[in-house]
Amino acid sequence: MDSSSDPLKRKQRILSLTNMLSELGDDDAFEITCNLTPQPMPEEDLPTSLDEKLSNEGAELFFRFEKQVENLDKELRSFTNALPQLGGSVGVLAAALKLRERLTKILFLFRENAANLYPRKIARESRGGVSNPNFMHQQRRAHSHGHAPVVKLVLEDNLEPDTLPAQLESFAKDLVTFLDCLNEFPEFIDEAINQFIRSFEADLRYWASRLAEYKSQFRSPAVQRYVHDLTTEIGDRIVNMTGTLSIFIEIGVPTIRVHQKRTTSNTPNLSTVATVLSAVTATMLQSPYNSTRHVLANAVNAFWFASLVFSIAAAVNSLLGLTWKQAMYRSPRSRVPWWVLIWINLAPEVFLVMSIACFSAGLVLFTHSSGQGPVTSTIITVLTAVTSFGLVVVSAWFASERWIFTRHKGQKLLEEVISEATGRLVNTRIVRASRISLRWCCIRIAHVRGYLGRLAGRIIVSGQRRDLLPIGEPPPSFALDPASFVPKAEPALSVCSITAMNPPDARQRFVNAVRSVIKLQSARRTSPRRNSWWDTPASSAVEPGRFPDPGMASHRVRVTGAVDKLKALDKSQELVPHGALVRHIRFSPNGKYFATSSWDRTTMIFCVNGGLTTHHRTLVHVRGFVGQVAWSPNGKILLTRLTRAVKVWSEDGVCKKTIERRNMVQSIVWLPTGDAFLSVEGSEVVKLDLHGKVLDIYSLGQVQLTNVAVTPDCCRLVGVGSLILHPSGPQPSPHIRVEKQIIVYNMQTRVRESQTPIAYDVRDIAMARKTPAVLISPEKAAPQLWKLEIVRDRDRIEYAQTSRLNLKHTFAFKGPVNIAGPCHFGGKDDQFVLCAGKAGDVQIWDRDTAALLHCIRPQSTPDTGDLTCVAWNYATDDPMMIATGNHDGSVYIYSTAALDGQSDDESHVERHAEGDRGTSTGG
């Protein structure tokens, strides 16, 4: 009997399981989430878990960064191979070698950081296995042994993850050294290269300064994820630098080579001139050498001997300078003493000019001392004076041009500097006074001359008889020629020529301007910033729909029941309360009301009766737009946030108080006690009572806060915002994202207990009402759940406890979503997390497991982008109720309870009738 009953029981169990599976299979919305026995699929089609997906994306990001670094290293190697053809390239070679070694160390640190995050995807690299990029050492070993061995780079023992800020700072210094060495070649100075390297250096210093604040937290997963996310922006800059070096190799190196060849070709010419002059001087010395009878003969010998010395010195120094300039191993100009540079660069020209001057002076004296005729002596003296004067003027002009070029770095010419100096001289007080005095004297002299001229004319006319012309005969000078009045023929312009000369019409000019702006923006457009993808660590991610902990059986039952309720959510009512975009929606904690705010400067209060909502009051704001509504914990007071004011309303729509604020109000948050609220204003959080009295001010440091949340015990604030750059600190380039921080602030001790860096933009922050769960709402990424932990404080003895944030998990979207508004907790116990998309879809997850429980399908076309905000009724889960706001001013109500016999037209008429009866105005 036992043997027959066992198969029967097994058969009944199998049948019951089959019925259960068939019932679960009828629901096609969430079979992936809730089905306990998935259908068999081919191995290649099996969906990967969230942990596996994020690990793959994280490893892919690091491997992309590694490839970018390798490409830059390859370009630096090509750069160093092309430089030995240039003179004075040893400085650039040394700087490039330091850059390659620094890149190797930085890549090693980023690999260590990525291996900590994704140990199954990225393998660690031993310190002795890193290749040495010193190509010069490899070449020397290759020539001696006949092959190129792989030389290992021995890394320092203290090269730990917390040394990354110092390595980035050293990388910035190496970049500046590399740029200075490039600028040692004045033949090719590209301003685009200078600007890019300077901006890259500023970004590196900014990242180094920010990471230095987390030097003791590099073992924290949050800091490790932030460091890993920096590879996106650093990799983009490395790619740009690789392209810049490629352009320099293709254009700059040949240009420098041509200029250096042309310069070295001029130096032998100078040496040749100096050599010829020394030969001529030595020949001329043979005549007056034995003549020392008088002073002129001695002077001639002295000048010509000096000319011979200067000409020889010019020839020798020109050859020495040529050899030094062509040498690859010569030191950079910034590393050479100033007197050595002056001697090498200026000595040949100066010695040659002095040699010519001494030879000319000796030649003039020779004509007088050798008994030449006066005509010969005079001609030689005049010609020598003219040529010497020209030589002095041209030399002074050449020296001035060189000085102006060096002083203004080629941005001004000598003529412009002379004009500016002349203008400043003319505008001086003495010159202006002299000009005014001279003008006054000229006017007076002109008056005197006119008076004297008239006086002289009268005297002359009075002594002579005037000749009278005959009456009726016009003077010859007044003879009229009729031909002079004939108009002259002018060349006629055709219609085509007039059209060609006229500029294009206004429409065509506008079209051309728009096209130019579009081309300029497309040229400046950088690669789109990648949102943070690494939001879930490998250790904490949970695959949606799976519960690995056997102790979570009761939780699984609760979630299964919640799924059934969520599936019953359907649009039960459509309201049109506003004439413009709905900005914010909030249900009161007691569930009796919900309030909306719109860009039409009104706030609507609706009564909630089961699944039915009816209009209650209209709150009109005359002076500004309403950005936020916030109910008090007891649901009897409503706050509305304006730009620089907060209004206090009763639940019946009576404005009790208008609290004016001098600073812009970013957000308002009620304290859990309900006796006061917080106003977020810049980097400060102001505690206010309902009468507008300032109770306290909390400063969270150099952070532009977006929003804050308060712990249930009113002891701590959790705020999020962007870092405010200090004017004297490192300034990143404009297209670099400024660091964001999540800050935990103790309101009792006034101490920032922890700060967590994040790289993406954050829209909002919220905290669960009964648990230390913090919900972060990014701008363009899935929401994250963080856990606020209270731990022992080992740094400060007087405070026994402190707090820190740990990322619990990231909620994964079912598909691509364009997020609308902040994400929220849902459910009576905040057991859900909901996020809305602009297309109208609302996704709901389980808070503890990140399992996607339900997705409300869009009510409109996905491309319309109607939805703007969402809210959950926390008062009860029976019925569940969700409200969404839209661009057209409508509000959709989703509820698990259906309406009984009320059409949309009837509700619309009643809403407008009630809206006319209940309207309140707040000045």
Side-chain angles (χ1 to χ4, degrees):
M1 183 174 180
D2 296 337
S3 61
S4 62
S5 61
D6 290 340
L8 181 61
K9 291 181 179 180
R10 286 197 297 270
K11 184 176 180 180
Q12 291 177 352
R13 291 173 185 171
I14 293 174
L15 290 175
S16 62
L17 287 175
T18 304
N19 294 331
M20 292 174 60
L21 291 176
S22 62
E23 292 176 359
L24 292 175
D26 292 339
D27 235 335
D28 58 348
F30 297 99
E31 59 182 351
I32 297 177
T33 304
C34 301
N35 198 352
L36 300 179
T37 59
Q39 297 294 330
M41 299 175 61
E43 185 176 355
E44 59 273 9
D45 295 336
L46 288 175
T48 58
S49 64
L50 180 60
D51 181 14
E52 190 73 14
K53 179 181 177 182
L54 294 177
S55 298
N56 292 336
E57 292 179 352
E60 180 184 355
L61 180 60
F62 171 76
F63 291 140
R64 187 185 305 118
F65 175 73
E66 185 180 31
K67 185 65 175 177
Q68 292 167 346
V69 174
E70 290 176 354
N71 291 338
L72 178 58
D73 183 76
K74 185 184 302 182
E75 203 66 36
L76 283 172
R77 185 166 60 251
S78 302
F79 179 76
T80 53
N81 291 335
L83 280 181
Q85 306 173 12
L86 306 178
S89 58
V90 64
V92 185
L93 290 175
L97 174 62
K98 289 184 179 179
L99 275 180
R100 297 182 64 192
E101 292 182 355
R102 190 69 60 188
L103 282 172
T104 303
K105 296 178 181 179
I106 290 176
L107 181 60
F108 175 81
L109 291 177
F110 275 107
R111 175 181 283 276
E112 289 290 309
N113 183 78
N116 290 331
L117 288 174
Y118 312 105
R120 294 183 299 171
K121 300 295 181 180
I122 301 175
R124 299 181 183 274
E125 189 171 5
S126 62
R127 297 178 182 270
V130 181
S131 299
N132 191 346
N134 190 343
F135 79 102
M136 299 178 65
H137 184 57
Q138 292 180 9
Q139 288 183 350
R140 290 196 295 269
R141 295 285 299 274
H143 287 301
S144 61
H145 296 282
H147 63 279
V150 178
V151 182
K152 300 300 181 180
L153 175 65
V154 180
L155 300 178
E156 298 89 344
D157 293 335
N158 59 350
L159 195 63
E160 299 296 335
D162 55 359
T163 61
L164 182 59
Q167 292 295 329
L168 293 179
E169 185 74 23
S170 300
F171 187 28
K173 294 179 181 178
D174 294 340
L175 274 179
V176 174
T177 304
F178 180 74
L179 178 62
D180 294 339
C181 293
L182 282 182
N183 291 334
E184 292 291 336
F185 299 101
E187 300 85 0
F188 185 83
I189 298 179
D190 192 351
E191 290 298 329
I193 296 177
N194 289 348
Q195 292 179 1
F196 169 75
I197 294 183
R198 291 294 181 184
S199 63
F200 192 15
E201 178 230 349
D203 296 339
L204 287 172
R205 293 187 184 277
Y206 170 74
W207 289 324
S209 65
R210 298 311 314 145
L211 290 176
E213 295 192 4
Y214 310 103
K215 192 171 183 180
S216 60
Q217 306 177 28
F218 272 84
R219 300 297 179 184
S220 169
V223 177
Q224 289 176 351
R225 283 188 294 270
Y226 176 71
V227 171
H228 190 70
D229 196 51
L230 287 180
T231 56
T232 303
E233 293 181 313
I234 297 178
D236 293 340
R237 306 293 279 170
I238 287 177
V239 169
N240 294 336
M241 186 174 178
T242 304
T244 302
L245 280 179
S246 177
I247 294 174
F248 188 87
I249 294 173
E250 295 177 1
I251 301 176
V253 173
T255 304
I256 295 173
R257 188 184 304 118
V258 171
H259 278 275
Q260 287 187 351
K261 286 184 178 180
R262 189 175 61 184
T263 303
T264 55
S265 64
N266 294 332
T267 304
N269 296 334
L270 188 147
S271 177
T272 302
V273 172
T275 304
V276 171
L277 182 60
S278 62
V280 172
T281 305
T283 303
M284 294 296 293
L285 274 173
Q286 296 177 2
S287 176
Y289 177 72
N290 296 324
S291 178
T292 56
R293 292 172 297 176
H294 47 79
V295 178
L296 288 179
N298 294 331
V300 170
N301 290 332
F303 276 111
W304 280 354
F305 274 114
S307 175
L308 182 61
V309 172
F310 285 135
S311 61
I312 295 175
V316 174
N317 281 278
S318 62
L319 294 177
L320 181 62
L322 175 62
T323 305
W324 184 77
K325 291 178 181 178
Q326 290 180 340
M328 184 195 75
Y329 51 80
R330 69 174 173 87
S331 302
R333 298 177 184 272
S334 58
R335 307 291 181 88
V336 180
W338 62 270
W339 60 271
V340 175
L341 288 176
I342 292 176
W343 185 272
I344 293 176
N345 295 326
L346 301 180
E349 290 87 350
V350 172
F351 287 159
L352 183 60
V353 171
M354 295 178 65
S355 176
I356 295 174
C358 291
F359 181 80
S360 301
L363 184 61
V364 171
L365 294 178
F366 178 74
T367 57
H368 291 281
S369 64
S370 60
Q372 302 293 330
V375 177
T376 303
S377 302
T378 303
I379 292 175
I380 295 300
T381 303
V382 172
L383 293 178
T384 303
V386 172
T387 55
S388 300
F389 177 76
L391 180 63
V392 171
V393 172
V394 172
S395 300
W397 182 269
F398 176 74
S400 301
E401 284 182 335
R402 190 166 185 172
W403 181 75
I404 292 299
F405 178 81
T406 305
R407 180 180 179 84
H408 297 282
K409 298 181 180 179
Q411 297 180 359
K412 289 186 178 180
L413 300 177
L414 178 58
E415 187 271 338
E416 297 176 354
V417 175
I418 293 176
S419 300
E420 293 177 359
T422 304
R424 289 193 298 268
L425 180 62
V426 168
N427 292 327
T428 56
R429 291 185 177 181
I430 298 177
V431 176
R432 287 203 305 268
S434 302
R435 291 174 60 187
I436 294 173
S437 301
L438 183 61
R439 188 182 299 112
W440 183 85
C441 293
C442 291
I443 294 173
R444 294 295 178 268
I445 292 173
H447 289 170
V448 172
R449 289 180 60 186
Y451 175 76
L452 293 178
R454 289 192 298 272
L455 182 60
R458 290 178 181 178
I459 294 174
I460 295 174
V461 170
S462 62
Q464 298 179 355
R465 182 177 62 85
R466 297 183 178 180
D467 295 334
L468 299 177
L469 295 174
I471 300 176
E473 297 181 0
S477 59
F478 295 96
L480 301 177
D481 187 7
S484 62
F485 291 93
V486 178
K488 297 181 179 180
E490 296 180 357
L493 297 177
S494 64
V495 177
C496 296
S497 63
I498 294 175
T499 305
M501 293 175 61
N502 289 336
D505 57 353
R507 179 180 180 83
Q508 186 63 30
R509 291 199 303 271
F510 177 77
V511 172
N512 295 336
V514 171
R515 290 176 178 173
S516 301
V517 171
I518 293 175
K519 291 181 179 180
L520 182 61
Q521 290 180 349
S522 63
R524 293 183 177 179
R525 188 178 297 121
T526 57
S527 59
R529 297 176 181 174
R530 191 178 187 278
N531 293 321
S532 181
W533 48 263
W534 37 253
D535 306 314
T536 303
S539 60
S540 62
V542 180
E543 181 182 356
R546 299 185 182 273
F547 306 95
D549 188 2
M552 297 183 65
S554 60
H555 181 77
R556 179 174 57 183
V557 174
R558 182 183 62 81
V559 171
T560 304
V563 169
D564 296 335
K565 290 184 178 180
L566 291 173
K567 289 178 182 179
L569 277 173
D570 194 10
K571 187 170 70 169
S572 58
Q573 196 172 1
E574 181 177 349
L575 310 174
V576 190
H578 297 287
L581 179 146
V582 180
R583 185 67 179 87
H584 203 233
I585 299 179
R586 274 295 180 271
F587 283 90
S588 61
N590 54 21
K592 294 174 58 179
Y593 305 100
F594 79 88
T596 64
S597 66
S598 172
W599 282 2
D600 61 359
R601 300 188 178 185
T602 62
T603 296
M604 297 286 187
I605 301 178
F606 293 87
C607 292
V608 179
N609 297 318
L612 178 66
T613 59
T614 57
H615 180 265
H616 179 58
R617 290 290 186 271
T618 299
L619 315 180
V620 179
H621 299 73
V622 180
R623 292 186 299 172
F625 296 102
V626 186
Q628 182 186 357
V629 292
W631 288 97
S632 62
N634 58 10
K636 295 183 179 180
I637 298 176
L638 178 67
L639 300 180
T640 58
R641 174 177 63 86
L642 305 178
T643 304
R644 296 181 184 273
V646 179
K647 287 183 175 295
V648 183
W649 305 81
S650 66
E651 60 182 356
D652 294 329
V654 178
C655 184
K656 294 184 175 181
K657 181 70 176 179
T658 300
I659 303 173
E660 302 287 345
R661 301 299 302 161
R662 290 184 297 177
N663 300 322
M664 182 177 295
V665 181
Q666 299 289 340
S667 178
I668 50 178
V669 180
W670 279 95
L671 292 178
T673 55
D675 56 347
F677 66 94
L678 302 177
S679 173
V680 180
E681 303 173 5
S683 60
E684 294 181 343
V685 179
V686 183
K687 183 178 179 181
L688 300 166
D689 63 7
L690 298 181
H691 301 287
K693 181 181 179 181
V694 177
L695 303 178
D696 209 339
I697 298 177
Y698 309 105
S699 178
L700 272 67
Q702 297 294 322
V703 177
Q704 182 70 30
L705 293 172
T706 302
N707 200 357
V708 298
V710 187
T711 55
D713 57 0
C714 295
C715 292
R716 290 175 175 85
L717 289 175
V718 183
V720 64
S722 302
L723 187 70
I724 299 176
L725 300 178
H726 197 276
S728 60
Q731 302 292 324
S733 54
H735 60 276
I736 292 297
R737 293 181 297 186
V738 179
E739 178 187 316
K740 285 76 180 176
Q741 289 183 347
I742 307 176
I743 299 174
V744 181
Y745 182 85
N746 194 315
M747 293 189 292
Q748 297 178 348
T749 61
R750 298 180 178 274
V751 174
R752 289 193 354 171
E753 294 183 338
S754 69
Q755 55 185 18
T756 304
I758 49 178
Y760 47 82
D761 296 327
V762 177
R763 189 191 304 267
D764 193 25
I765 186 172
M767 177 168 285
R769 292 167 295 174
K770 299 179 181 179
T771 59
V774 180
L775 182 64
I776 300 296
S777 303
E779 288 278 356
K780 299 179 180 180
Q784 295 178 339
L785 186 69
W786 295 70
K787 184 178 181 181
L788 182 63
E789 297 179 346
I790 306 300
V791 296
R792 181 180 178 184
D793 189 0
R794 299 180 179 180
D795 297 332
R796 296 187 297 269
I797 301 176
E798 61 271 21
Y799 305 131
Q801 291 181 340
T802 186
S803 60
R804 65 183 181 188
L805 283 172
N806 286 326
L807 180 62
K808 189 174 181 181
H809 46 241
T810 297
F811 303 92
F813 289 125
K814 194 173 183 179
V817 177
N818 192 3
I819 301 175
C823 304
H824 303 284
F825 287 109
K828 187 176 181 181
D829 298 324
D830 295 334
Q831 69 270 26
F832 305 128
V833 171
L834 69 156
C835 182
K838 292 182 179 180
D841 52 326
V842 181
Q843 302 191 33
I844 305 173
W845 298 273
D846 179 64
R847 185 193 67 188
D848 296 330
T849 61
L852 182 61
L853 303 180
H854 185 58
C855 180
I856 300 177
R857 301 299 180 184
Q859 300 295 324
S860 59
T861 306
D863 296 333
T864 57
D866 287 337
L867 198 145
T868 58
C869 54
V870 65
W872 184 290
N873 189 354
Y874 300 98
T876 178
D877 289 341
D878 191 16
M880 292 182 177
M881 180 177 289
I882 297 176
T884 62
N886 300 280
H887 271 275
D888 57 2
S890 61
V891 176
Y892 296 161
I893 305 298
Y894 296 86
S895 176
T896 56
L899 294 178
D900 296 330
Q902 185 180 18
S903 65
D904 292 339
D905 295 335
E906 293 175 349
S907 61
H908 182 74
V909 173
E910 290 181 5
R911 286 194 301 271
H912 281 277
E914 291 178 358
D916 295 336
R917 291 194 300 267
T919 302
S920 301
T921 303

